[in-house]
C-alpha cells in the first residue's frame, strides 16, 4: 500500500510500504477513508534533521474495519470507525480515569512499528479499546466532522475542560489554528458567554466568530495582552486556552489570565520551561492541560456531530488525494490552508 | 511601642516605633497577644541587602482589639481576633470568590505604611473584613494553635485543596517545615489515606508522622524521587504538595507526580521558571497553588482547632519574648527551632 513518510524538514514523500496485517489478537486492520494533516505535524516538517530512512507520519484517521484479531469481539469487518490520536486498551487504571494518553498498554501512531494515519490502511493495536464505531456509511457527508473526533475537536475540548470552562467563565483562546477554533467551539458548548479569540488570520478568525468567539484580538505580544485586558476591565479572563505551543504564546497566556485563573495548554510545547515565578504565584495562577486523551471524549462529542449541533469539519478548507500530501504539508506550513483533509 | 525591623541579611532588631492609631474609619488597632516567625521571613533574613533604614516585618498575629474606626461595626474593644497574613475587605469580587490575596482593597502587612505583625500592636486596615473573632480568652491554652490560622495551617490547607486532595488521592508532601507539616495534617483531614512526607529533619518528620504521614522519605534529589516511586508502584502520587519554594523542590515535585496528577506549590518561589516542557505535557501534569487566601479558610478550620480535633500549634517548638526575636530568627535559620512563637 502507499503511505506518507517524512525524511526531514520540508521533505515528505508518499511511498509503497508493506500492507498492514494482524500481528496480535488485539489488532485490527482499518482501510482509511479520511485522514488529515495536523498542526503538530508541522513541527517536524519545519525542523526535522534530514535522514536516509523516512519515518511514517500521521495520527488522525477514520476508516472501515477490514480484519480483526481473535480477541476483538466488538468490531467486525465493514464497521466504520474513528481512531483517537493515541491508541489505548481503554481498560487499564489510567484509561478508566480518562487518561488514555497514559495507557499502560498504549502508544502513538507512526512509532515503534505502528503505522501512521496518512496512508491507505493502518494496523490498529488494542483495536477494541482504541476504535469507536460510527453509525454512518462510507460516503457520509459527515466524515470530515467525524474525523475531527480523532484529534482537533477533543483537543480543543480537553483544553476547555481542564481549564474549568463553564457558564460563568470568561475565556481567552490563543491561536486561530484548527485546535484554537475547536477550543472556541468547545468553550461555547460548555456554556462560556465571553470568548476572546487571539489570532490574526482573517479567514480563520471569521470561522472563529461563527464557532462562537465574541471578541477578536489580532494584536500579539504586549499589544495583544493590553487589548485583552481592556476588554476585561483590566483583569484578564478566568480561563486561557493556549493552542499554539510557543514560548511567546504561553507568556501571553499568563499575562491575560485573571488572578486565580487557569491557563490550559494543548499546543505541543516548543519550550522546556514555563514563566511561573513569584508574580504568577502571587496571582494564584494554574497551568494545566497536556496531550488530550481524545478517546475519553469521543462518546460525549459524537452525538452533537451526528445531529449537526456542532460542525467542526469546517476547519478543513482543502481536500487532497494521498499523492498530494507533500503539497498539503507545504500549503499548511505556508498558511495557505488551515487544515488539509486527505482522501487516500 | 516596640516592633521588629529588618535591616538586612541576619540583621533583625527590635526598636521603638510610633504607636498605631486609627487612620481610616475601616481600621482597628489590635494589641498583639501572640505572633511568630515564618519560614518565608527567612528568605529576606538570608539575603536582604543591608539598608540604613530598617523595614517592619512579620505577618502572623492574634490579639485583642483596642480601638475601632467608625465603619467597623462587627468588632469592639476587648474582642480576641486572629489576622490572616494578607488583609482584605472580604467583600469585593475576588474576596467573594475566596481569593482574598487578590482583594481589590487589600494588601500585605509590613508594607506601604502598614504595621508588621512582630510587634506590640498593629493598625489593621479593612479590619471588619480582615479580622476573625475568636471565642476564647486572652489566656487560652489554644492560642498557639489559633495563631496557625493566620498562615501555616490555611497555607497547608490551600496546598491540599488546590491539589484536589480527597479520599482517593495519594499525596506526597515536599518539605518538613511548619507549612509542610500542616499540609500533611490538611491532606489527612481531607481524607487522603496515603501521605508520603519528604524531609530529613528527624524531630520534624516525627511530628509529621503524628500529623498523619504514612511514609517518610529522607532522601533528596534523584534518590528521593526513586524512593517515592518505589513506594507507589513506579507511578508517583496523584497530588504533590510543594512546601519549600526552591527550584530543586519544584523539580522533585514534577518527578514524583503521577501522570494526570497535580503539583500544588505554596513555598514562595525562589525561581522565575518552572520545568514544564514536553515530558510534563505528555503526562498531563498540572501546576497550581500560590499565596494562600488564609481568610477564606479560617471559618472552616476554626471549629476543629477549638474542639481539639487538630492541634497545629504543635509546630511551635520555642517561645520567646519580643526582645529575643533576633535570636528567634537565628534559631530558625540555623534549624535549631522549627517555628518560633512570640509573646510580645
Amino acid at each position: 500500500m502507499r503511505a506518507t513518510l517524512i525524511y526531514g524538514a520540508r521533505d515528505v514523500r508518499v511511498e509503497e510500504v508493506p500492507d498492514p496485517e494482524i500481528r496480535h489478537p488485539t489488532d485490527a486492520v482499518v482501510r482509511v477513508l479520511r485522514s488529515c494533516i495536523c498542526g503538530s505535524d508541522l513541527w517536524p516538517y519545519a525542523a526535522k534533521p534530514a535522514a536516509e530512512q523516512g519515518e511514517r507520519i500521521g495520527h488522525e484517521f477514520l476508516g472501515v474495519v477490514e480484519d480483526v484479531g481473535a480477541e476483538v469481539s466488538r468490531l467486525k469487518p465493514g464497521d466504520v470507525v474513528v481512531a483517537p490520536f493515541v491508541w489505548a486498551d481503554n481498560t487499564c487504571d489510567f484509561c478508566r480515569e480518562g487518561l488514555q494518553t497514559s495507557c499502560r498498554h498504549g502508544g502513538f501512531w507512526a512509532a515503534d512499528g505502528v503505522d501512521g494515519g496518512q496512508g491507505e490502511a493502518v494496523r490498529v493495536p488494542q483495536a477494541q479499546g482504541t476504535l469507536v464505531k460510527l453509525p454512518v456509511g462510507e460516503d457520509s457527508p459527515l466524515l470530515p466532522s467525524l474525523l475531527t473526533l480523532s484529534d482537533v475537536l477533543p483537543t480543543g475540548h480537553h483544553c476547555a475542560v481542564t481549564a474549568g470552562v463553564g457558564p460563568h467563565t470568561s475565556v481567552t483562546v490563543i491561536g486561530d489554528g484548527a485546535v484554537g477554533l475547536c477550543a472556541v467551539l468547545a468553550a461555547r458548548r460548555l456554556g462560556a458567554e465571553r470568548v476572546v479569540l487571539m489570532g490574526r488570520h482573517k479567514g480563520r478568525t471569521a470561522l472563529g466568530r461563527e464557532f462562537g468567539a465574541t471578541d477578536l484580538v489580532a494584536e500579539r505580544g504586549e499589544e495583544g495582552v493590553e487589548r485583552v485586558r481592556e476588554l476585561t476591565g483590566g483583569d484578564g479572563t478566568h480561563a486561557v486556552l493556549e493552542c499554539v505551543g510557543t514560548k511567546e504564546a504561553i507568556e501571553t497566556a499568563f499575562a491575560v489570565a485573571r488572578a486565580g485563573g487557569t491557563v490550559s495548554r494543548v499546543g505541543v510545547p516548543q519550550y522546556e520551561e514555563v514563566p511561573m515565578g513569584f508574580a504568577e504565584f502571587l496571582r494564584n495562577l494554574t497551568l494545566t492541560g497536556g496531550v488530550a486523551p481524545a478517546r475519553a471524549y469521543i462518546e460525549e462529542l459524537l452525538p452533537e456531530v451526528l445531529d449537526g449541533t456542532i460542525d467542526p469539519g469546517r476547519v478543513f478548507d482543502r481536500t487532497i488525494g494521498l499523492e498530494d500530501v507533500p503539497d498539503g504539508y507545504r500549503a499548511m506550513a505556508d498558511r495557505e490552508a488551515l487544515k488539509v483533509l486527505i482522501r487516500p
Side-chain angles (χ1 to χ4, degrees), chain A:
Chain A
M1 69 158 184
R2 290 176 309 150
T4 306
L5 293 95
I6 181 162
Y7 281 79
R10 295 192 86 87
D11 185 1
V12 165
R13 308 177 200 174
V14 176
E15 296 182 345
E16 277 295 319
V17 299
D19 285 339
E21 53 188 29
I22 302 292
R23 285 192 216 162
H24 305 288
T26 47
D27 285 350
V29 170
V30 170
R31 173 169 52 86
V32 175
L33 290 172
R34 297 288 186 281
S35 179
C36 55
I37 302 172
C38 183
S40 68
D41 293 331
L42 298 181
W43 295 118
Y45 186 72
K48 191 176 159 66
E52 294 224 347
Q53 182 56 50
E55 284 176 17
R56 301 284 285 278
I57 191 165
H59 54 262
E60 299 157 282
F61 63 96
L62 59 71
V64 181
V65 175
E66 295 224 307
D67 196 4
V68 295
E71 292 177 19
V72 180
S73 58
R74 288 201 294 270
L75 294 168
K76 60 179 191 310
D79 287 344
V80 175
V81 291
V82 65
F85 72 94
V86 172
W87 51 270
D89 66 17
N90 214 27
T91 59
C92 79
D93 53 345
F94 282 115
C95 287
R96 287 196 309 272
E97 293 166 26
L99 198 70
Q100 283 88 343
T101 44
S102 292
C103 174
R104 297 197 188 271
H105 309 103
F108 287 83
W109 304 109
D112 306 319
V114 176
D115 295 311
Q118 294 163 3
E120 289 181 304
V122 174
R123 178 181 69 87
V124 177
Q126 300 293 348
Q128 185 145 300
T130 302
L131 299 171
V132 178
K133 197 173 162 179
L134 301 173
V136 298
E138 292 189 27
D139 54 356
S140 165
L142 289 174
L143 292 190
S145 278
L146 291 166
L147 176 60
T148 68
L149 291 167
S150 190
D151 186 342
V152 278
L153 179 59
T155 293
H157 179 68
H158 182 60
C159 200
V161 167
T162 54
V165 171
H168 304 294
T169 330
S170 56
V171 178
T172 303
V173 174
I174 300 179
D176 58 10
V179 170
L181 299 179
C182 285
V184 169
L185 191 156
R188 293 287 286 181
R189 184 183 165 275
L190 290 166
E193 290 176 7
R194 186 83 184 269
V195 179
V196 180
L197 173 60
M198 298 186 79
R200 55 178 181 164
H201 302 89
K202 286 207 174 138
R204 300 177 180 197
T205 55
L207 182 54
R209 237 339 154 192
E210 293 184 53
F211 278 179
T214 54
D215 303 84
L216 300 179
V217 171
E219 295 85 351
R220 301 177 85 174
E222 269 306 306
E223 214 181 337
V225 169
E226 274 314 301
R227 195 78 193 87
V228 176
R229 292 198 164 267
E230 272 168 36
L231 288 169
T232 53
D235 286 338
T237 57
H238 299 96
V240 183
L241 313 186
E242 197 285 280
C243 303
V244 178
T246 60
K247 188 101 178 200
E248 183 188 350
I250 198 87
E251 284 167 355
T252 298
F254 288 111
V256 300
R258 186 176 183 274
T262 299
V263 172
S264 180
R265 58 175 181 174
V266 292
V268 181
Q270 305 301 305
Y271 49 79
E272 288 301 318
E273 300 223 309
V274 168
M276 288 182 83
F278 185 64
E280 290 73 25
F281 176 86
L282 267 190
R283 296 169 65 220
N284 270 276
L285 296 184
T286 294
L287 176 60
T288 189
V291 61
R295 183 64 185 84
Y297 302 122
I298 293 179
E299 279 92 346
E300 176 184 351
L301 298 168
L302 177 58
E304 294 176 41
V305 175
L306 289 171
D307 71 14
T309 307
I310 55 177
D311 191 5
R314 295 181 67 194
V315 296
F316 295 110
D317 57 352
R318 184 173 298 193
T319 302
I320 60 175
L322 193 56
E323 65 284 1
D324 292 325
V325 165
D327 191 60
Y329 271 81
R330 186 205 53 73
M332 277 180 64
D334 295 347
R335 299 283 188 275
E336 255 177 38
L338 168 55
K339 192 168 175 72
V340 170
L341 185 72
I342 304 165
R343 299 176 66 144

